[in-house]
Amino acid sequence: MNVASAATGHALPVAGGRATAGEVWRLSRGHRLRLAAVGLAGILSTAVDLIPPVAIGYLVDRVQTGTGDLGTVLTVTGVMALSAVLGAAGTAVTIAHATRIYHTVLAALRERLVSRAMLLPRHLVERAGTGDLISRSSDDVTAVADAAPAVIPALTVTACTIVVSLAGLAALEWPYAAAFAVVLPVYALAMRWYLRIGPRVYRAERAAMSARAQQILESQRGHATVLGFGLAEHRHRAVLTDSWGVAVQSIRARTVQSMLNARLNLGECLSLAAVLVVGFVLVDHGLSTVGGATTAMLLVLRLLGPVNQLLFVVDTLQSALASLSRMIGVVTIPTAEEADASMAQAGRAAPADQADPADQADPADQADPAGAAETATAVRLRGVAFRYADGPSVLDGIDLDIPAGRHIAIVGPSGAGKTTLASVIAGVHRPDGGTVTRPRRTAVISQEVHVFAGTLRENLTLAAPDATDGDIRAALETTGAADLLELSADALDTVVGTRGHPLTEAEAQQLALARLLLADPELAILDEATAEAGSAHAERLDRASEAVLAGRSGIVIAHRLSQAATCDRIVVMDAGRVIETGTHDELLTAGGTYARLWAVWQAGQEISASR
């Protein structure tokens, strides 16, 4: 995979030129014959457009020699009118079909982008920020789509116009073609300068847009936190800084365009002057007619437009390619499964995450099925270490066994590494060291649950597409969410989310628990999944959590220690290490960290009850 890392931060990768071209070529499969037809139509329309300059030169010579009459004028006019109609028709066909092909391929690429984005390792998205991903699927797609009406038709028609016009000049009198060719280095130098500067400037502009999008998203998502901690001014300055960064990079891009335009104007003046001088010399020496010189000047004028257009199309193309390479950079990121398969084919062991522990069962367990049922391990961690990017270690030397069918609570002070450990166990993050084994069917619910815009049925069948209405109703009843069926007369067809009935935090968490129940994973991880609903709904949500965990292995990142107390075993963490394990009673008797946390928790509950 030819993918270059982005120049800033931990942004998602940007595809190199070869990877971009390869992906576009793959997506164009099935459209290549139509593309060839579009190219042929462009050549024909270009050839027809060159008839008027030749006709005008012919008419000038006839008038100058006195051999022209009204019939000649009418004939030349008719030929020019017919060529204009044919040229316009050819150009229209070229643009219409090229744009249709372009948008079809772009739609396929966008579908691939969204599909791959859903499968990306979460740690990549978290490192880069969702703003980068959203910018690529919105701003970059828009930039590429906006280039559609100009780039492909212009590249085809302009290239053909230049070649055919130069051939016409050479056929007319070779000095005319030579005069124009002498000025071509000016255009070549302008292009060389632009290609050296332009791509870098456009990539920086796109990256600045991604950074701004990330700041805005973070501020919106953390709205309550921003207000609660008085961070509004800080976030405002951050958004302002990144917005100014976009303005600066946009000004740089427009400056590059203006400088390119100045170079093109210089080339245009030199071209006209060179052909005019050559025409005067040739006519003065009787080597060309006035009509021939007129034809040459008209052909050069016909050339200047396409040459300038070609360079400006390259400008648009560079901007679009900068966006296209960012889109394909996402498409070509291998998923975790693809990376493991690739390493397996190369004869290397897959990193850190391992297969279902059942596939690696101890021989003694296989010899004694009854014993295996009692001692089977659902999750096994050995020497697990993890850090975010180049930051400090978050997990250090974690060893942990979770028996199948048991429920384990993970508790500890803020920043202890509880959520990171849950993410590593779930496979969201890959450990930097050590090994993790877990069931293949693992599901996670975090405290930031999401209600999708759609019906209740659609929200729940995301986890189990084959679930019947009976299955869905049973899941809602089990999680205490049967009341959701009474939101409207539509029952399961009730629209919820941003365009329907708004759900409370408790209802959203119940919906997420019902979704997990329908998914029926072997291992369920509840990462403070009921922490945000408020104490009024705590008991109800705790009962729903217990119902969801019944009959399967479970890990609970406990926000409320009353929830941890009901689990089979409690793991206490601090500073990225496991410092205590045991049952609730064992840890209270030991009088360690958990006992102190429990005492503080109980005191807080008593104060709340007395209010």
Side-chain angles (χ1 to χ4, degrees), residues 319-549:
S319 178
L321 284 177
S323 294
L324 185 63
S325 62
R326 283 162 48 83
M327 294 169 64
I328 292 177
V330 174
V331 169
T332 52
I333 297 175
T335 63
E337 291 76 10
E338 290 171 346
D340 289 346
S342 177
M343 295 185 72
Q345 290 177 357
R348 292 175 289 171
D353 289 333
Q354 303 296 330
D356 190 328
D359 297 336
Q360 304 173 354
D362 189 286
D365 291 342
Q366 294 179 0
D368 181 6
E374 296 178 1
T375 63
T377 300
V379 177
R380 177 178 290 120
L381 285 72
R382 290 293 180 266
V384 170
F386 180 81
R387 70 176 64 212
Y388 290 99
D390 299 323
S393 177
V394 180
L395 300 177
D396 187 11
I398 301 291
D399 293 324
L400 185 64
D401 290 326
I402 300 178
R406 299 295 180 88
H407 302 157
I408 303 297
I410 301 177
V411 303
S414 178
K418 305 183 297 296
T419 293
T420 300
L421 179 60
S423 296
V424 169
I425 293 174
V428 172
H429 297 314
R430 309 199 107 189
D432 298 319
T435 59
V436 179
T437 58
R438 65 176 180 277
R440 294 192 183 280
R441 290 191 297 113
T442 298
V444 182
I445 296 182
S446 71
Q447 62 186 20
E448 296 179 0
V449 296
H450 185 73
V451 178
F452 296 91
T455 65
L456 281 173
R457 181 186 289 103
E458 289 168 341
N459 265 268
L460 292 167
T461 53
L462 282 171
D466 298 329
T468 65
D469 285 0
D471 296 332
I472 297 172
R473 291 176 183 275
L476 291 173
E477 290 174 2
T478 300
T479 56
D483 292 348
L484 295 179
L485 297 172
E486 300 176 5
L487 288 174
S488 76
D490 294 327
L492 287 176
D493 292 318
T494 299
V495 177
V496 295
T498 55
R499 297 183 181 180
H501 287 270
L503 300 185
T504 66
E505 289 179 339
E507 289 171 335
Q509 288 169 337
Q510 286 176 302
L511 189 66
L513 289 169
R515 191 184 294 136
L516 183 144
L517 193 63
L518 287 169
D520 193 25
E522 298 171 70
L523 172 65
I525 301 176
L526 307 184
D527 183 5
E528 298 187 1
T530 61
E532 296 296 325
S535 57
H537 302 279
E539 266 188 53
R540 185 177 183 182
L541 287 169
D542 283 349
R543 288 195 301 271
S545 298
E546 291 173 9
V548 166
L549 294 176

